[in-house]
Amino acid sequence: MSTLVTGIAELVTNDPEAGEGPLGTLADAALVVSGDHVVWVGAARDAPYADTRVDVGGRAVLPGFVDSHAHLVFAGDRAAEFEARMSGTPYDGGGIATTVAATRAATDDELRGHLRALVEEMRGQGTTTVEVKSGYGLDVEQEARALRLAREVTEETTFLGAHVVPPEYAGRTGEYVALVTGPMLAACAPHARWIDVFCEPASAHAFDGDAARAVLSAGRDAGLGLRVHANQLSAGPGVQLAVELGAASADHCTHLTDDDVDALASGTTVATLLPGVEFATRSPYPDARRLLEAGVTVALATDCNPGSCYTSSMPFCIALAVREMGMTPAEAVWAATAGGAAALDRGDVGRLGVGARADLTVLDAPSYRHLAYRPGVPLARALAI
Ligand SMILES: [Zn+2]
């Protein structure tokens, strides 16, 4: 069963050889989907026969957004903490313990219902691939439960037992790292593709470079890919550790030294920027322009979580990246699609060419430029074919 999608005013392929500019855009385009995959892309006038037809009526079509950093398995609400921050209380990661307590007390069905609602909320804004981390259970059973639930909605599951040191291990970080790298990893690895750590010496609740190295090394030995929460609150060791260990992504990258930028430019690690966090913690934004000019691969993601950034909207992050981080609209759209795919080491999403997954996002607008040009307007949604 094949479907012709036509009436596309502007198609973003992310293949510079298929169309104009770095996004490989095609005007008056069409594509054909068979099963789950794209089997033809080109000018609408050249479109081949297909069994059915969807006319998007002169709208833009993009690869679905790839949100490569999200924390969606949780319970509870931290709106009061947000309000306190906007009244001058600084963010230091300490509020995570509030979510841990609420998450531990929730039933599977409560967590599942909330998780699925967030994934639907994301699809309604154009996101078709989402990475989901654990990290609000922080004991063996609770972390494994979070990952089992996450696996119900995505293949991109990440074990984040090393999110913060839980209250019952306060002052005993070494013992907690031994738990994370031992029994917790053994219970979680079967449900995870990735391992992650909040490497932040500037937070009393997170992990220093040595602890982060221990967590990532154990994860790698268990067959997991590596990701790092790096350099969010200070120019710590996270970015260079991520590059040294060949992590797929270093996330946040808000405070970078020249050596950090050089390391990212010379390695294979993607710099994933999360501008919703700086928005919601009223912090300085990362300098995307500096990274792009150094030749670093940049991704954009939401970091959707109940504490430091409770947005599920990739279009909002694109608008912030353009307005506040020196990215062009095309660079931001690339980072939210192909960049996210690179950060997840995926070749089948983040692009629309033959062989790609048929993950299409349609805009109620004629061009991708409207994502930044019309901030806050609900233009994007995943197209059900
Ligand atoms: Zn995060």
Side-chain angles (χ1 to χ4, degrees):
M1 168 89 168
S2 58
T3 302
L4 171 68
V5 182
T6 191
I8 304 173
E10 180 184 79
L11 178 68
V12 172
T13 66
N14 280 341
D15 178 357
E17 290 179 12
E20 300 276 312
L23 297 181
T25 56
L26 287 168
D28 300 321
L31 57 77
V32 177
V33 171
S34 179
D36 293 335
H37 290 87
V38 176
V39 295
W40 184 88
V41 174
R45 65 179 176 279
D46 300 331
Y49 170 83
D51 300 321
T52 58
R53 179 186 170 98
V54 174
D55 189 333
V56 299
R59 292 176 172 81
V61 169
L62 290 71
F65 300 126
V66 180
D67 189 348
S68 60
H69 186 138
H71 307 247
L72 306 184
V73 187
F74 68 87
D77 179 291
R78 284 160 62 191
E81 180 188 319
F82 173 79
E83 185 173 51
R85 256 200 325 274
M86 295 305 109
S87 311
T89 308
Y91 177 76
D92 72 347
I96 292 170
T98 310
T99 300
V100 171
T103 303
R104 286 175 173 174
T107 66
D108 286 9
D109 279 345
E110 285 167 346
L111 293 176
R112 180 182 284 122
H114 189 223
L115 168 64
R116 288 178 183 265
L118 284 170
V119 170
E120 278 309 300
E121 187 177 286
M122 288 178 157
R123 277 191 66 79
Q125 299 167 95
T127 298
T128 51
T129 302
V130 61
E131 181 258 22
V132 177
K133 301 175 195 297
S134 67
Y136 296 118
L138 307 185
D139 68 26
V140 173
E141 285 180 14
Q142 292 273 358
E143 285 293 298
R145 171 171 83 140
L147 288 163
R148 276 199 311 274
L149 293 169
R151 235 321 115 94
E152 294 177 5
V153 300
T154 184
E155 298 160 48
E156 302 296 343
T157 54
T158 300
F159 169 43
L160 182 59
H163 195 187
V164 292
V165 178
E168 63 271 24
Y169 278 85
R172 296 187 292 139
T173 299
E175 285 176 51
Y176 185 64
V177 170
L179 177 70
V180 168
T181 57
M184 199 185 286
L185 175 61
C188 290
H191 313 293
R193 181 173 181 220
W194 305 97
I195 190 167
D196 194 347
V197 56
F198 184 11
C199 179
E200 184 53 77
S203 168
H205 313 281
F207 300 87
D208 65 14
D210 289 343
R213 179 184 293 276
V215 169
L216 295 168
S217 300
R220 186 177 55 187
D221 291 347
L224 303 181
L226 310 184
R227 336 184 57 75
V228 185
H229 281 68
N231 298 50
Q232 177 185 356
L233 305 175
S234 69
V239 162
Q240 294 192 46
L241 184 64
V243 175
E244 180 198 325
L245 297 180
S249 181
D251 297 41
H252 286 289
C253 295
T254 307
H255 297 272
L256 298 180
T257 65
D258 288 346
D259 285 347
D260 295 329
V261 176
D262 289 348
L264 287 164
S266 64
T268 56
T269 302
V270 173
T272 299
L273 309 182
L274 311 166
V277 176
E278 280 75 30
F279 177 88
T281 58
R282 200 176 272 161
S283 304
Y285 288 91
D287 187 349
R289 190 81 255 138
R290 179 187 181 200
L291 290 166
L292 290 166
E293 274 162 19
V296 176
T297 302
V298 172
L300 285 172
T302 61
D303 199 7
C304 182
N305 77 84
S308 60
C309 179
Y310 198 9
T311 184
S312 54
S313 171
M314 290 292 278
F316 174 61
C317 296
I318 289 170
L320 286 179
V322 171
R323 175 62 182 83
E324 303 288 349
M325 287 159 44
M327 298 180 87
T328 66
E331 286 166 343
V333 166
W334 191 93
T337 52
L344 292 173
D345 201 17
R346 290 278 296 267
D348 59 336
V349 297
R351 66 184 182 92
L352 287 175
V354 172
R357 276 189 61 87
D359 290 342
L360 276 58
T361 278
V362 63
L363 304 186
D364 282 332
S367 167
Y368 71 85
R369 297 172 183 86
H370 284 236
L371 286 164
Y373 171 50
R374 306 198 65 212
V377 180
L379 301 177
R381 65 190 149 84
L383 186 66
I385 298 175

